[in-house]
Amino acid sequence: MDDLTLIQIDRNVKQWLRQARTLVLTKMTERLTVNEKSSRKDLVTNVDKENEKFLITKIKNYAPDSHVLGEEGFGDQINREKGWIWIVDPIDGTMNFVKQQDHFAIMVALYIDGQGVLGYIYDVMNDELYSGGPNLGVFKNDVQLDQPANTALADGLVSLSAPLLIHDRFNLLQAADESSGVRVYGSAGIEMIHLLTGKIITYVSYLKPWDFAAGKILGETLGLVTSTIDGQPLDMLSSGFVMVATENAQRDILPIIGQNG
Amino acid sequence: MDDLTLIQIDRNVKQWLRQARTLVLTKMTERLTVNEKSSRKDLVTNVDKENEKFLITKIKNYAPDSHVLGEEGFGDQINREKGWIWIVDPIDGTMNFVKQQDHFAIMVALYIDGQGVLGYIYDVMNDELYSGGPNLGVFKNDVQLDQPANTALADGLVSLSAPLLIHDRFNLLQAADESSGVRVYGSAGIEMIHLLTGKIITYVSYLKPWDFAAGKILGETLGLVTSTIDGQPLDMLSSGFVMVATENAQRDILPIIGQNG
């Protein structure tokens, strides 16, 4: 794909996302309908659903041959990586959205034949849109971001999902102890933003494709490594334990996880 | 103290804090000097020290008979609650300040004869100053805040310090499990702000007087309860395990902590 086409797609996606943000902010002034999915800690609201439908409609109108994988199930069943695949998380961090009205994100990613092309993470309440990909670089709104420092585990803050920490899965307590400290923000999108800007240096959580699709593209563009928790390549259509980290932090953590009994 | 005097003090403290914020932002553009205090996870920088000196000078010039308790030790030795006591935390969340250049606060509190009169928590990077007390109400910049909802444990997010969670002190894992989820922001000031605005409903951590002095005043003004972890009154000059919570969340958590073996 030539750069001009890429820039045109990018311009369109940003326009949809700004409209999606307005939709979300408007709906936040009305009464939410909140339902439980797999458990009482796994929520979905009418806003998740309406925003996913909005984004899928925009994508399908613009690029009708695309396949779309959406968190709330309004997209397509996708079994292979061929062609244009869009991955949509209409509200990432729905618990934060419901309980805090803050600290959540809208995320969109475009993969073509399995390759990450464009990623978007929109911190709605701060009105900060992180966007880009390998050909364009990564931007916070209109400002291009530099690579974050390649910080070692001992010198940075790490974000570990609370359930993994609580049950000491994968020897993560030792990794936490060797870091500068643990933070938990409750939204994969917000944690990814903090990785892109160097505020944390590692993020480990059980993630589904829509949780990591955009962050993988943006993170790898800025020199971060994304992998399974044991350092293997991510399958963009599968769920699992994911690690996003600086190269040096990944180097420090993998042997700790390897000691997991 | 009459309200006019209180409003005059409040106006002065806000002016000092805006100057302190400018001092901090300016110093952040220069190279930090970072030193360890009790451990490698307990940091102090030149900015903590310079800002504490700045605030203490302002206080002593304005109210020379005051005693000042400062985190970095440039204030007075204080053994009793009599008179005007100011409590100053020049940079709360120094680890965040050093590693994130975000998510930290400047905090000031004024107690008179042991009673909380005025409290201030300044989220420096977001330029949000939370201020007030029992006579004035609580403000976010110029906007008065309503009381947060009196949410029960099961219906809200809780902030528990990572070391307490990791070592399952006080049966806190069960409390975490019964809540809607755990968040960890790494600054008592930022956690207090999230309590004041209803984004979290409980905060438990080992705190020193400068960590909780301002938050206690602002929180109690908005109907939150501050206590030791077993529900006893806080001694404003002592360190210990502190719980700040909605009334209903405290009611739900105290029996869980009581089961602690």
Side-chain angles (χ1 to χ4, degrees):
Chain A
M1 177 180 296
D2 62 68
D3 279 359
L4 193 61
T5 309
L6 203 62
I7 289 168
Q8 284 172 339
I9 300 170
D10 181 57
R11 194 177 301 144
N12 275 280
V13 179
K14 284 177 175 164
Q15 193 180 350
W16 309 335
L17 284 169
R18 301 223 179 259
Q19 292 168 347
R21 175 173 182 267
T22 302
L23 182 155
V24 170
L25 290 175
T26 304
K27 291 285 171 186
M28 285 172 73
T29 64
E30 305 165 8
R31 192 174 177 82
L32 287 183
T33 306
V34 182
N35 291 110
E36 297 178 3
K37 294 198 288 188
S38 63
S39 77
R40 75 179 183 90
K41 297 188 182 181
D42 181 18
L43 304 180
V44 62
T45 76
N46 59 305
V47 184
D48 297 70
K49 293 175 185 173
E50 289 171 48
N51 196 33
E52 179 162 314
K53 287 179 193 166
F54 171 81
L55 288 167
I56 291 176
T57 301
K58 289 290 182 185
I59 291 168
K60 294 275 189 174
N61 283 342
Y62 179 73
D65 293 337
S66 296
H67 289 89
V68 186
L69 179 64
E71 172 170 17
E72 308 310 341
F74 298 107
D76 306 303
Q77 292 288 341
I78 299 176
N79 307 313
R80 58 192 201 129
E81 297 188 354
K82 193 105 186 67
W84 285 36
I85 297 181
W86 299 78
I87 304 183
V88 172
D89 193 339
I91 301 280
D92 175 76
T94 301
M95 184 62 84
N96 284 352
F97 175 68
V98 171
K99 302 295 182 184
Q100 304 194 315
Q101 296 83 51
D102 201 355
H103 307 137
F104 60 91
I106 306 171
M107 300 200 286
V108 171
L110 171 61
Y111 286 76
I112 299 182
D113 296 333
Q115 297 300 308
V117 175
L118 290 167
Y120 301 85
I121 305 177
Y122 204 160
D123 175 347
V124 169
M125 300 314 290
N126 284 319
D127 197 9
E128 290 176 352
L129 174 55
Y130 294 77
S131 69
N135 290 62
L136 298 180
V138 175
F139 292 78
K140 171 182 171 177
N141 293 332
D142 294 331
V143 178
Q144 187 160 9
L145 295 184
D146 295 327
Q147 288 203 2
N150 186 9
T151 305
L153 178 62
D155 297 324
L157 296 166
V158 300
S159 176
L160 308 174
S161 79
L164 292 184
L165 202 59
I166 285 172
H167 301 292
D168 192 15
R169 296 289 306 272
F170 308 110
N171 216 22
L172 283 172
L173 289 187
Q174 189 185 333
D177 195 51
E178 294 190 11
S179 77
S180 293
V182 174
R183 302 291 179 264
V184 180
Y185 300 104
S187 151
I190 300 300
E191 327 269 350
M192 287 299 317
I193 286 172
H194 289 334
L195 276 159
L196 298 176
T197 55
K199 292 180 184 177
I200 60 172
I201 59 156
T202 300
Y203 174 47
V204 177
S205 188
Y206 184 87
L207 297 180
K208 297 185 174 175
W210 40 83
D211 294 316
F212 65 77
K216 180 179 192 297
I217 295 169
L218 298 172
E220 290 179 353
T221 300
L222 289 183
L224 298 169
V225 286
T226 55
S227 68
T228 65
I229 194 164
D230 46 2
Q232 300 303 308
L234 283 183
D235 172 358
M236 60 164 273
L237 295 177
S238 297
S239 304
F241 293 100
V242 171
M243 184 191 314
V244 189
T246 63
E247 279 187 26
N248 284 339
Q250 193 206 45
R251 175 206 63 199
D252 296 339
I253 292 177
L254 283 178
I256 297 172
I257 287 172
Q259 295 163 23
N260 184 36
Chain B
M1 177 181 297
D2 62 71
D3 279 0
L4 193 61
T5 309
L6 203 62
I7 288 168
Q8 284 172 340
I9 300 171
D10 180 58
R11 194 177 300 144
N12 275 281
V13 179
K14 284 177 174 165
Q15 192 180 350
W16 309 336
L17 284 170
R18 302 221 179 262
Q19 292 168 348
R21 176 172 181 267
T22 301
L23 182 155
V24 170
L25 291 175
T26 304
K27 291 286 171 187
M28 284 172 74
T29 64
E30 305 165 6
R31 191 173 178 84
L32 287 183
T33 305
V34 182
N35 291 110
E36 297 177 4
K37 295 199 286 188
S38 62
S39 76
R40 73 178 185 91
K41 297 188 181 180
D42 182 18
L43 304 181
V44 62
T45 75
N46 59 304
V47 184
D48 297 71
K49 293 175 186 172
E50 289 171 47
N51 195 35
E52 179 162 315
K53 288 179 194 167
F54 171 81
L55 288 167
I56 290 176
T57 301
K58 289 290 183 186
I59 291 168
K60 294 274 189 177
N61 283 343
Y62 179 73
D65 292 337
S66 294
H67 290 89
V68 186
L69 178 64
E71 172 170 19
E72 307 310 341
F74 298 107
D76 305 303
Q77 291 289 341
I78 299 176
N79 307 314
R80 58 193 200 126
E81 297 188 353
K82 193 106 185 67
W84 285 35
I85 297 181
W86 300 77
I87 304 183
V88 173
D89 193 339
I91 302 278
D92 175 76
T94 301
M95 184 62 84
N96 285 352
F97 175 68
V98 171
K99 302 294 181 184
Q100 305 194 314
Q101 295 82 52
D102 201 355
H103 307 138
F104 60 91
I106 306 171
M107 300 199 287
V108 171
L110 171 61
Y111 286 78
I112 298 181
D113 296 333
Q115 297 300 309
V117 176
L118 290 166
Y120 301 86
I121 306 177
Y122 204 160
D123 175 347
V124 169
M125 300 313 291
N126 284 321
D127 197 9
E128 290 176 353
L129 174 55
Y130 294 78
S131 70
N135 290 62
L136 298 181
V138 176
F139 292 80
K140 171 183 171 177
N141 292 333
D142 294 330
V143 179
Q144 187 160 10
L145 295 183
D146 294 326
Q147 288 204 2
N150 185 8
T151 305
L153 178 62
D155 297 323
L157 296 166
V158 299
S159 178
L160 308 173
S161 80
L164 292 184
L165 202 59
I166 285 172
H167 301 292
D168 191 14
R169 296 288 306 273
F170 308 110
N171 216 23
L172 283 173
L173 289 187
Q174 187 185 333
D177 194 52
E178 294 190 11
S179 76
S180 294
V182 175
R183 302 291 179 264
V184 180
Y185 301 103
S187 152
I190 300 300
E191 328 269 350
M192 287 299 316
I193 286 172
H194 289 333
L195 276 158
L196 298 176
T197 55
K199 292 180 184 177
I200 61 173
I201 60 157
T202 300
Y203 174 47
V204 177
S205 188
Y206 184 87
L207 298 180
K208 297 186 174 175
W210 40 83
D211 295 316
F212 66 76
K216 180 178 192 295
I217 295 169
L218 298 173
E220 290 178 354
T221 300
L222 289 183
L224 299 168
V225 286
T226 55
S227 68
T228 64
I229 193 164
D230 46 2
Q232 301 304 308
L234 282 183
D235 172 357
M236 60 163 276
L237 295 177
S238 297
S239 304
F241 292 100
V242 171
M243 184 189 314
V244 189
T246 63
E247 278 188 25
N248 284 339
Q250 193 206 45
R251 175 206 63 198
D252 296 339
I253 292 178
L254 283 178
I256 297 173
I257 287 172
Q259 295 164 24
N260 183 36

